[in-house]
Amino acid sequence: MLKEITLRELETADFIKEKVDEIRNAVGDGIAINALSGGVDSSVVTMLGHKALGPRLTTVFIDNGIMRAGEASQVKDLFQKLGVEVKVINAQKEFFTALGGIKDPEQKREAITQTFYRNVFGRIVKESGARFLLQGTILTDIDETVAGIKRQHNVFEQLGIDPQEAFGYRILEPLVQLRKDGVRKVGKALGLPSEIFGRIPFPGPALSARVIGEATPERIETVRKATVVVERILKETRAFQYMGILHEDRVTGIRDGKRDFGQQIEIRCWESVDARTAAPTRLSFEILEQLAREIIRDVPGVVSVTYNIATKPPSTIEAV
Ligand code: XMP
């Protein structure tokens, strides 16, 4: 049973020292590898691993084709400033091939998991000679997976899967006793800039979790464009998390005086402390109108914009 370290109990200096020692002891004089997405969890793990292993940690950014606009170069540049070299690996084709034809949420997650850990990472790890993968699983990921709510893409041992056997490498998870608030505190103590440790959470399955139905390159591009608008406008709210979701159902609309059987974007904006429960932010009608106006202006094919007002539970934060 994993023991939670609450925000109040967390002493960042002790925590960092303990985790750095654990990583050093586990890896010995070998090498480790980690995938950085630029999210809070993987960024904190990158800094811990870098502190523990220096150049014996290889950090890669897997460009899976389902990340947000400009993300690969932003993450690479930012970490370069922090002294961490990030290798960008283009695996777009592999991910879209694996996602082809799949509509079911859990099957989508499974396709991403297998492509990531078995195909892409399996290959990179083999080529690099690393025997360890460092990753930023947090306690909430494990809770929800074990409870059978959502299969988080990065949880194995708690589901009885041995990564050594399944993929050929060991996984180290230094953040597994923390929740998001604790991870942010550690990130700040590690010297990460606030644009990283204060960043809104973004799920491992990336924009494919924001597309209901099949995640084709075209549909991902639609939700990517909507995400640019939503993140720009809702940044000011300082809400816990906000997102655009592309629906599968189409609705009749009018564009340029003609009938347009168009697409729908749902917006969610959440107040939450640790993602276990959440409530919608009371956005002003002016902001809602601005969101609708700019999404319809900037995202081709969209004729309807809605705002979700349900709480978690019974909703979850992501739609898929
Ligand atoms: P849900 O949708 O389960 O989300 O209420 C709770 C928090 O977890 C994030 N999330 C994920 N993070 N892998 C991750 O690393 C995943 O598969 C995943 N699914 C959801 C979500 O964005 C929210 O902050």
Side-chain angles (χ1 to χ4, degrees):
M1 190 62 190
L2 281 165
K3 194 187 165 314
E4 175 172 357
I5 303 173
T6 62
L7 190 64
R8 275 183 47 202
E9 292 162 354
L10 176 65
E11 296 288 349
T12 49
D14 296 347
F15 179 88
I16 292 168
K17 185 174 178 318
E18 193 184 309
K19 294 302 156 189
V20 164
D21 288 347
E22 274 175 27
I23 295 169
R24 278 193 191 136
N25 288 338
V27 177
D29 56 8
I31 50 173
I33 195 158
N34 82 308
L36 171 66
S37 66
V40 190
D41 307 337
S42 69
S43 296
V44 169
V45 165
T46 301
M47 292 314 282
L48 280 176
H50 186 68
K51 224 175 153 66
L53 306 171
R56 286 189 296 121
L57 177 72
T58 302
T59 298
V60 297
F61 179 100
I62 311 273
D63 185 355
N64 51 17
I66 50 180
M67 299 301 278
R68 287 167 289 187
E71 210 146 25
S73 55
Q74 277 163 23
V75 171
K76 189 174 164 60
D77 292 352
L78 204 144
F79 274 84
Q80 194 143 39
K81 285 191 199 129
L82 297 168
V84 181
E85 202 54 51
V86 180
K87 231 195 237 172
V88 177
I89 291 169
N90 186 339
Q92 298 196 7
K93 226 166 139 188
E94 266 173 285
F95 279 89
F96 280 121
T97 304
L99 286 165
I102 303 180
K103 289 184 161 200
D104 176 78
E106 292 299 302
Q107 279 179 20
K108 265 158 81 174
R109 284 168 182 267
E110 186 61 17
I112 290 170
T113 299
Q114 292 299 333
T115 308
F116 187 89
Y117 288 95
R118 193 186 301 277
N119 305 1
V120 178
F121 237 86
R123 193 171 58 237
I124 298 169
V125 170
K126 226 175 255 148
E127 282 167 10
S128 72
R131 283 186 302 115
F132 296 89
L133 170 64
L134 250 62
Q135 79 173 7
T137 318
I138 66 170
L139 196 52
T140 317
D141 297 341
I142 291 174
D143 284 350
E144 299 210 336
T145 301
V146 173
I149 296 170
K150 227 169 245 193
R151 164 78 156 91
Q152 306 276 335
H153 77 292
N154 52 3
V155 176
F156 301 104
E157 274 165 33
Q158 290 75 13
L159 294 176
I161 301 168
D162 176 358
Q164 178 80 55
E165 229 167 71
F167 313 117
Y169 48 81
R170 269 190 63 200
I171 297 184
L172 304 178
E173 299 174 315
L175 308 182
V176 85
Q177 289 170 281
L178 302 181
R179 301 213 184 257
K180 203 60 129 196
D181 45 5
V183 180
R184 290 195 207 285
K185 194 169 163 189
V186 173
K188 191 173 179 184
L190 280 166
L192 282 169
S194 65
E195 58 186 296
I196 289 280
F197 72 76
R199 216 168 175 209
I200 56 168
F202 188 66
L207 294 175
S208 82
R210 309 266 167 92
V211 163
I212 299 176
E214 191 181 351
T216 61
E218 296 71 29
R219 301 191 75 219
I220 289 288
E221 187 52 30
T222 300
V223 85
R224 183 180 284 126
K225 288 201 166 89
T227 303
V228 171
V229 177
V230 171
E231 291 195 351
R232 173 168 44 76
I233 294 176
L234 294 183
K235 202 171 170 191
E236 308 292 310
T237 64
R238 310 178 120 217
F240 176 81
Q241 200 169 357
Y242 32 86
M243 63 197 69
I245 296 153
L246 175 64
H247 278 235
E248 208 174 11
D249 288 350
R250 289 186 174 246
V251 288
T252 297
I254 319 160
R255 247 184 210 274
D256 306 324
K258 281 202 209 94
R259 179 182 187 278
D260 182 7
F261 199 45
Q263 309 204 74
Q264 307 191 65
I265 292 286
E266 173 192 338
I267 296 160
R268 296 183 176 192
C269 182
W270 296 108
E271 299 301 320
S272 178
V273 176
D274 56 17
R276 281 188 290 183
T277 59
T281 304
R282 295 187 162 216
L283 295 177
S284 74
F285 216 84
E286 284 70 28
I287 290 184
L288 292 170
E289 283 175 325
Q290 187 190 358
L291 283 162
R293 199 168 50 241
E294 296 190 20
I295 286 174
I296 285 168
R297 183 193 66 197
D298 292 354
V299 192
V302 173
V303 297
S304 164
V305 177
T306 59
Y307 185 53
N308 179 57
I309 49 171
T311 55
K312 172 181 178 174
S315 183
T316 53
I317 287 182
E318 304 290 345
V320 167

